Amino acid sequence: MSYRKTLKLICGLAGGSAALVFAAAAADSRGFFGEQRGEATSRWSRYTVLQAAQPAWTPASHTPAPTGHSWDFNWDKRDPSTLSNGKKKENVAEDPSSEQDNGKPKATRNILLIRHSQYNLSGNNDKERILTPLGREQAELTGQRLAALGLKYDVLIHSSMSRATETANIISKHLPGPGVELFSCDLLREGAPIEPVPPVTHWKPDAVQYHEDGARIEAAFRRYIHRADPKQKEDSYEIIVCHANVIRYFVCRALQFPPEGWLRMGLNNGSITWLTIRPSGRVALRTLGDSGFMPPDKLTRT
Protein backbone atom coordinates (compact mmCIF):
# COMPACT_ATOMS: atom_id res chain seq x y z
CA MET A 1 0.00 0.00 0.00
CA SER A 2 1.41 3.45 -0.96
CA TYR A 3 2.20 5.95 1.78
CA ARG A 4 -0.46 8.36 0.51
CA LYS A 5 -3.14 5.66 0.87
CA THR A 6 -1.80 4.76 4.31
CA LEU A 7 -2.01 8.41 5.36
CA LYS A 8 -5.63 8.63 4.19
CA LEU A 9 -6.46 5.43 6.09
CA ILE A 10 -4.87 6.75 9.31
CA CYS A 11 -6.71 10.03 9.08
CA GLY A 12 -9.99 8.31 8.28
CA LEU A 13 -9.73 5.94 11.23
CA ALA A 14 -8.54 8.54 13.70
CA GLY A 15 -11.15 11.05 12.68
CA GLY A 16 -9.12 13.88 14.18
CA SER A 17 -6.69 16.55 13.17
CA ALA A 18 -4.07 15.32 15.63
CA ALA A 19 -3.47 12.13 13.60
CA LEU A 20 -3.13 14.22 10.47
CA VAL A 21 -0.50 16.44 12.08
CA PHE A 22 1.71 13.54 13.23
CA ALA A 23 1.33 11.62 10.00
CA ALA A 24 2.17 14.69 7.97
CA ALA A 25 5.25 15.30 10.09
CA ALA A 26 6.49 11.79 9.50
CA ALA A 27 5.80 12.05 5.80
CA ASP A 28 7.66 15.31 5.46
CA SER A 29 10.70 14.02 7.30
CA ARG A 30 10.93 11.10 4.87
CA GLY A 31 10.30 13.07 1.72
CA PHE A 32 7.09 11.30 0.73
CA PHE A 33 5.45 14.45 -0.61
CA GLY A 34 7.83 14.98 -3.49
CA GLU A 35 10.28 17.41 -1.88
CA GLN A 36 13.79 16.66 -0.78
CA ARG A 37 14.33 16.28 2.94
CA GLY A 38 15.54 19.56 4.45
CA GLU A 39 14.23 21.61 1.55
CA ALA A 40 13.51 25.10 2.99
CA THR A 41 10.49 25.70 0.83
CA SER A 42 8.76 22.44 1.69
CA ARG A 43 5.01 23.06 1.87
CA TRP A 44 4.78 20.58 4.76
CA SER A 45 7.73 21.89 6.77
CA ARG A 46 5.39 24.30 8.57
CA TYR A 47 1.96 23.13 9.72
CA THR A 48 0.43 26.58 10.17
CA VAL A 49 -3.04 25.65 9.00
CA LEU A 50 -3.06 22.34 10.82
CA GLN A 51 -1.72 23.75 14.08
CA ALA A 52 -4.26 26.57 14.03
CA ALA A 53 -6.96 23.98 14.69
CA GLN A 54 -5.19 22.68 17.79
CA PRO A 55 -5.79 23.99 21.34
CA ALA A 56 -3.00 25.67 23.28
CA TRP A 57 -1.39 22.56 24.75
CA THR A 58 1.64 22.37 26.97
CA PRO A 59 4.49 20.51 25.23
CA ALA A 60 5.02 18.08 28.08
CA SER A 61 1.53 16.79 28.73
CA HIS A 62 -0.45 17.73 25.60
CA THR A 63 -3.25 18.95 27.83
CA PRO A 64 -4.77 22.44 28.12
CA ALA A 65 -2.73 24.58 30.48
CA PRO A 66 -4.51 25.54 33.75
CA THR A 67 -5.35 29.16 34.39
CA GLY A 68 -3.67 29.14 37.78
CA HIS A 69 -6.82 30.11 39.69
CA SER A 70 -7.61 27.69 42.51
CA TRP A 71 -11.03 27.06 44.00
CA ASP A 72 -11.85 29.30 46.97
CA PHE A 73 -13.58 27.01 49.46
CA ASN A 74 -14.48 29.98 51.64
CA TRP A 75 -16.24 31.88 48.84
CA ASP A 76 -19.38 32.29 50.98
CA LYS A 77 -17.43 33.14 54.16
CA ARG A 78 -19.03 30.14 55.89
CA ASP A 79 -16.10 27.72 56.01
CA PRO A 80 -16.17 26.42 59.62
CA SER A 81 -12.37 26.36 59.80
CA THR A 82 -12.24 30.13 59.26
CA LEU A 83 -15.12 31.19 61.50
CA SER A 84 -13.95 32.89 64.66
CA ASN A 85 -15.10 35.88 66.66
CA GLY A 86 -11.63 36.52 68.03
CA LYS A 87 -12.61 35.75 71.62
CA LYS A 88 -11.04 33.09 73.77
CA LYS A 89 -13.64 30.48 74.62
CA GLU A 90 -13.94 29.09 78.13
CA ASN A 91 -14.58 25.48 79.12
CA VAL A 92 -13.09 24.10 75.94
CA ALA A 93 -13.90 20.44 75.49
CA GLU A 94 -11.16 17.84 75.82
CA ASP A 95 -11.37 17.28 72.09
CA PRO A 96 -10.79 20.71 70.51
CA SER A 97 -12.06 19.50 67.17
CA SER A 98 -15.51 18.55 68.51
CA GLU A 99 -16.75 22.14 68.61
CA GLN A 100 -15.64 22.72 65.03
CA ASP A 101 -17.26 19.47 63.90
CA ASN A 102 -20.55 20.57 65.45
CA GLY A 103 -20.33 23.79 63.46
CA LYS A 104 -19.76 22.07 60.13
CA PRO A 105 -22.60 22.02 57.58
CA LYS A 106 -23.84 18.51 56.89
CA ALA A 107 -26.63 19.06 54.36
CA THR A 108 -26.58 19.87 50.66
CA ARG A 109 -28.59 22.77 49.28
CA ASN A 110 -30.22 22.37 45.87
CA ILE A 111 -31.27 25.68 44.40
CA LEU A 112 -33.53 25.64 41.34
CA LEU A 113 -33.47 29.00 39.59
CA ILE A 114 -36.49 29.54 37.34
CA ARG A 115 -36.65 32.27 34.75
CA HIS A 116 -40.10 33.89 34.57
CA SER A 117 -42.38 33.07 31.63
CA GLN A 118 -43.06 35.22 28.57
CA TYR A 119 -44.64 38.57 29.42
CA ASN A 120 -46.19 41.62 27.80
CA LEU A 121 -43.26 43.66 26.54
CA SER A 122 -45.45 46.60 25.55
CA GLY A 123 -46.53 47.36 29.13
CA ASN A 124 -45.76 50.88 30.31
CA ASN A 125 -44.88 49.81 33.83
CA ASP A 126 -44.31 46.69 35.87
CA LYS A 127 -47.99 46.20 36.70
CA GLU A 128 -48.81 46.06 32.99
CA ARG A 129 -45.98 43.67 32.15
CA ILE A 130 -47.93 40.57 33.05
CA LEU A 131 -47.68 37.13 31.49
CA THR A 132 -49.02 36.51 28.01
CA PRO A 133 -51.34 33.53 27.40
CA LEU A 134 -48.28 31.62 26.17
CA GLY A 135 -46.38 32.74 29.26
CA ARG A 136 -49.04 31.31 31.54
CA GLU A 137 -48.89 28.07 29.61
CA GLN A 138 -45.12 28.00 30.00
CA ALA A 139 -45.47 28.45 33.76
CA GLU A 140 -47.88 25.51 33.87
CA LEU A 141 -45.34 23.36 32.01
CA THR A 142 -42.54 24.40 34.36
CA GLY A 143 -44.70 23.60 37.38
CA GLN A 144 -45.51 20.18 35.93
CA ARG A 145 -41.84 19.53 35.33
CA LEU A 146 -40.90 20.43 38.90
CA ALA A 147 -43.65 18.17 40.20
CA ALA A 148 -42.48 15.31 37.98
CA LEU A 149 -39.01 15.47 39.53
CA GLY A 150 -40.52 14.03 42.70
CA LEU A 151 -38.64 16.33 45.06
CA LYS A 152 -39.77 17.73 48.39
CA TYR A 153 -39.49 21.48 47.97
CA ASP A 154 -38.85 23.53 51.07
CA VAL A 155 -39.58 27.05 49.91
CA LEU A 156 -40.42 29.13 46.83
CA ILE A 157 -38.88 32.60 46.72
CA HIS A 158 -39.68 34.97 43.87
CA SER A 159 -38.82 38.41 42.58
CA SER A 160 -41.39 41.06 43.45
CA MET A 161 -41.80 42.01 39.78
CA SER A 162 -45.19 41.11 38.28
CA ARG A 163 -43.98 38.60 35.72
CA ALA A 164 -41.97 36.65 38.31
CA THR A 165 -44.74 36.78 40.91
CA GLU A 166 -47.33 35.49 38.46
CA THR A 167 -44.99 32.73 37.28
CA ALA A 168 -44.34 31.65 40.88
CA ASN A 169 -48.05 31.55 41.73
CA ILE A 170 -48.80 29.28 38.78
CA ILE A 171 -45.85 27.00 39.56
CA SER A 172 -46.82 26.69 43.23
CA LYS A 173 -50.13 25.06 42.31
CA HIS A 174 -48.27 22.05 40.90
CA LEU A 175 -45.82 21.44 43.73
CA PRO A 176 -46.43 18.25 45.73
CA GLY A 177 -47.03 17.92 49.45
CA PRO A 178 -48.53 20.47 51.81
CA GLY A 179 -48.42 23.97 50.42
CA VAL A 180 -44.92 25.26 49.79
CA GLU A 181 -44.60 28.70 51.36
CA LEU A 182 -44.02 31.62 48.98
CA PHE A 183 -41.85 34.63 49.75
CA SER A 184 -41.37 37.79 47.69
CA CYS A 185 -38.01 39.56 47.57
CA ASP A 186 -37.10 42.93 46.06
CA LEU A 187 -33.42 41.99 45.82
CA LEU A 188 -34.27 39.52 43.05
CA ARG A 189 -35.73 42.12 40.70
CA GLU A 190 -34.26 42.35 37.20
CA GLY A 191 -31.36 44.68 36.57
CA ALA A 192 -27.85 45.19 35.21
CA PRO A 193 -25.49 43.21 37.47
CA ILE A 194 -22.15 44.18 35.93
CA GLU A 195 -20.95 45.57 32.61
CA PRO A 196 -20.65 42.56 30.29
CA VAL A 197 -17.47 41.51 28.50
CA PRO A 198 -17.43 41.53 25.55
CA PRO A 199 -19.73 44.56 25.35
CA VAL A 200 -22.92 44.52 23.31
CA THR A 201 -24.41 47.31 21.22
CA HIS A 202 -28.13 46.61 21.67
CA TRP A 203 -28.18 47.12 25.45
CA LYS A 204 -26.16 49.80 27.25
CA PRO A 205 -27.24 50.75 30.78
CA ASP A 206 -25.49 53.78 32.23
CA ALA A 207 -22.90 53.63 34.99
CA VAL A 208 -25.42 54.58 37.68
CA GLN A 209 -27.64 51.60 36.85
CA TYR A 210 -24.71 49.19 37.03
CA HIS A 211 -23.69 50.76 40.35
CA GLU A 212 -27.14 50.44 41.91
CA ASP A 213 -28.35 47.18 40.35
CA GLY A 214 -24.99 45.50 40.75
CA ALA A 215 -24.90 46.06 44.51
CA ARG A 216 -28.49 44.84 44.90
CA ILE A 217 -28.02 41.68 42.80
CA GLU A 218 -24.77 40.89 44.59
CA ALA A 219 -26.65 41.26 47.89
CA ALA A 220 -29.24 38.77 46.59
CA PHE A 221 -26.47 36.34 45.68
CA ARG A 222 -24.97 36.54 49.17
CA ARG A 223 -28.37 36.06 50.80
CA TYR A 224 -29.49 33.03 48.81
CA ILE A 225 -26.42 31.31 47.36
CA HIS A 226 -24.30 29.75 50.09
CA ARG A 227 -23.73 26.42 51.82
CA ALA A 228 -26.25 25.09 54.34
CA ASP A 229 -26.41 26.28 57.92
CA PRO A 230 -24.88 23.76 60.37
CA LYS A 231 -28.32 23.40 62.00
CA GLN A 232 -29.81 22.08 58.75
CA LYS A 233 -30.00 18.29 59.04
CA GLU A 234 -31.47 17.25 55.68
CA ASP A 235 -30.78 18.20 52.09
CA SER A 236 -33.02 20.98 50.86
CA TYR A 237 -34.64 21.86 47.53
CA GLU A 238 -35.36 25.54 47.14
CA ILE A 239 -37.00 27.29 44.19
CA ILE A 240 -36.17 30.85 43.21
CA VAL A 241 -38.22 32.45 40.43
CA CYS A 242 -36.53 35.53 39.05
CA HIS A 243 -34.90 36.89 35.89
CA ALA A 244 -32.35 35.98 33.24
CA ASN A 245 -29.74 38.58 34.20
CA VAL A 246 -29.94 37.65 37.87
CA ILE A 247 -29.70 33.91 37.19
CA ARG A 248 -26.76 34.23 34.81
CA TYR A 249 -24.88 36.40 37.29
CA PHE A 250 -25.60 33.91 40.09
CA VAL A 251 -24.21 31.05 37.98
CA CYS A 252 -20.98 32.91 37.20
CA ARG A 253 -20.47 33.88 40.84
CA ALA A 254 -21.32 30.44 42.21
CA LEU A 255 -18.94 28.66 39.84
CA GLN A 256 -16.25 31.29 40.42
CA PHE A 257 -16.25 32.22 36.75
CA PRO A 258 -15.59 35.85 35.74
CA PRO A 259 -18.93 37.54 36.55
CA GLU A 260 -18.59 39.88 33.58
CA GLY A 261 -19.20 36.85 31.34
CA TRP A 262 -22.85 36.53 32.40
CA LEU A 263 -24.23 37.78 29.07
CA ARG A 264 -22.52 34.98 27.14
CA MET A 265 -25.31 32.64 28.23
CA GLY A 266 -28.93 32.56 27.12
CA LEU A 267 -32.01 31.34 29.01
CA ASN A 268 -35.47 30.48 27.71
CA ASN A 269 -38.59 31.61 29.51
CA GLY A 270 -39.66 29.15 32.19
CA SER A 271 -36.31 27.32 32.07
CA ILE A 272 -34.73 25.59 35.06
CA THR A 273 -31.16 26.18 36.23
CA TRP A 274 -30.06 23.87 39.04
CA LEU A 275 -27.19 24.65 41.42
CA THR A 276 -25.99 22.21 44.07
CA ILE A 277 -23.95 23.49 47.03
CA ARG A 278 -22.17 20.85 49.10
CA PRO A 279 -21.29 21.22 52.80
CA SER A 280 -17.63 21.54 51.81
CA GLY A 281 -18.36 24.62 49.71
CA ARG A 282 -18.13 22.82 46.38
CA VAL A 283 -20.66 23.99 43.82
CA ALA A 284 -21.98 22.09 40.83
CA LEU A 285 -24.21 23.21 37.98
CA ARG A 286 -26.59 20.32 37.28
CA THR A 287 -28.59 22.07 34.56
CA LEU A 288 -28.39 25.44 32.86
CA GLY A 289 -31.59 26.81 31.33
CA ASP A 290 -33.26 23.43 30.93
CA SER A 291 -36.43 23.82 28.88
CA GLY A 292 -36.45 20.48 27.10
CA PHE A 293 -39.72 19.61 28.82
CA MET A 294 -41.52 22.22 26.68
CA PRO A 295 -42.70 21.57 23.11
CA PRO A 296 -40.59 23.47 20.53
CA ASP A 297 -43.48 25.77 19.65
CA LYS A 298 -43.72 26.92 23.29
CA LEU A 299 -40.10 28.08 23.59
CA THR A 300 -39.39 31.80 23.83
CA ARG A 301 -36.59 34.01 25.14
CA THR A 302 -38.17 37.41 25.69
Side-chain angles (χ1 to χ4, degrees), residues 166 187 256 282:
E166 190 175 357
L187 294 178
Q256 300 186 22
R282 292 182 181 272

Side-chain angles (χ1 to χ4, degrees), residues 2 9 15 24 31 34 42 46-48 57 60 69-70 105 127 200 218 229 237-238 278 286 296:
S2 69
L9 179 59
S42 172
R46 297 178 182 177
Y47 309 110
T48 305
W57 289 347
H69 300 293
S70 60
K127 291 183 178 180
V200 293
E218 173 64 20
D229 186 275
Y237 295 88
E238 306 160 44
R278 302 294 182 188
R286 296 190 60 172

Side-chain angles (χ1 to χ4, degrees), residues 276-291:
T276 296
I277 306 176
R278 302 294 182 188
S280 65
R282 292 182 181 272
V283 181
L285 180 64
R286 296 190 60 172
T287 64
L288 174 66
D290 176 26
S291 55

Side-chain angles (χ1 to χ4, degrees), residues 22 55 100 115 117 128 193 213 221 226 234 240 280:
F22 290 116
Q100 182 174 316
R115 189 191 175 193
S117 302
E128 295 180 0
D213 290 353
F221 173 81
H226 55 78
E234 298 181 353
I240 299 178
S280 65

Side-chain angles (χ1 to χ4, degrees), residues 22-275:
F22 290 116
D28 177 60
S29 66
R30 299 175 184 177
F32 281 103
F33 289 111
E35 293 90 2
Q36 295 297 319
R37 183 176 180 178
E39 192 174 43
T41 58
S42 172
R43 58 187 168 133
W44 288 95
S45 61
R46 297 178 182 177
Y47 309 110
T48 305
V49 175
L50 297 174
Q51 289 177 331
Q54 306 303 312
W57 289 347
T58 57
S61 61
H62 298 289
T63 58
T67 62
H69 300 293
S70 60
W71 180 262
D72 178 11
F73 280 92
N74 194 32
W75 58 273
D76 59 353
K77 309 305 178 188
R78 294 166 185 255
D79 185 343
S81 64
T82 65
L83 295 177
S84 174
N85 59 10
K87 297 180 180 179
K88 184 177 179 180
K89 297 182 179 181
E90 300 177 355
N91 301 324
V92 179
E94 293 182 4
D95 182 3
S97 64
S98 61
E99 186 174 358
Q100 182 174 316
D101 288 339
N102 292 334
K104 286 183 177 180
K106 301 175 180 59
T108 294
R109 293 184 68 213
N110 294 274
I111 303 173
L112 289 85
L113 301 161
I114 313 297
R115 189 191 175 193
H116 61 79
S117 302
Q118 185 191 64
Y119 68 102
N120 175 28
L121 290 171
S122 60
N124 294 320
N125 51 57
D126 181 60
K127 291 183 178 180
E128 295 180 0
R129 293 171 189 152
I130 59 176
L131 300 186
T132 64
L134 175 57
R136 290 191 288 274
E137 189 173 353
Q138 290 170 340
E140 297 281 357
L141 292 169
T142 302
Q144 292 169 13
R145 172 59 177 170
L146 291 171
L149 292 176
L151 303 174
K152 181 182 178 296
Y153 300 105
D154 297 271
V155 67
L156 196 166
I157 305 165
H158 61 84
S159 157
S160 58
M161 299 188 81
S162 297
R163 53 189 183 271
T165 301
E166 190 175 357
T167 300
N169 287 332
I170 295 174
I171 287 175
S172 67
K173 298 175 182 178
H174 295 274
L175 301 182
V180 176
E181 195 167 1
L182 275 69
F183 294 95
S184 177
C185 179
D186 289 334
L187 294 178
L188 294 167
R189 295 173 73 89
E190 184 63 301
I194 187 174
E195 189 170 358
V197 176
V200 293
T201 58
H202 63 276
W203 184 71
K204 287 189 175 182
D206 56 31
V208 173
Q209 185 174 355
Y210 282 124
H211 180 71
E212 294 179 350
D213 290 353
R216 172 178 55 78
I217 296 172
E218 173 64 20
F221 173 81
R222 296 185 185 192
R223 173 177 291 187
Y224 296 115
I225 312 298
H226 55 78
R227 76 192 75 190
D229 186 275
K231 296 179 182 179
Q232 182 176 324
K233 304 302 181 183
E234 298 181 353
D235 294 350
S236 60
Y237 295 88
E238 306 160 44
I239 301 172
I240 299 178
V241 180
C242 53
H243 310 270
N245 295 359
V246 177
I247 294 172
R248 292 180 287 187
Y249 178 79
F250 280 10
V251 169
C252 288
R253 286 281 284 108
L255 298 180
Q256 300 186 22
F257 292 162
E260 62 271 19
W262 63 273
L263 200 50
R264 303 171 198 173
M265 297 175 277
L267 299 175
N268 288 334
N269 295 113
S271 60
I272 301 173
T273 295
W274 186 338
L275 285 172

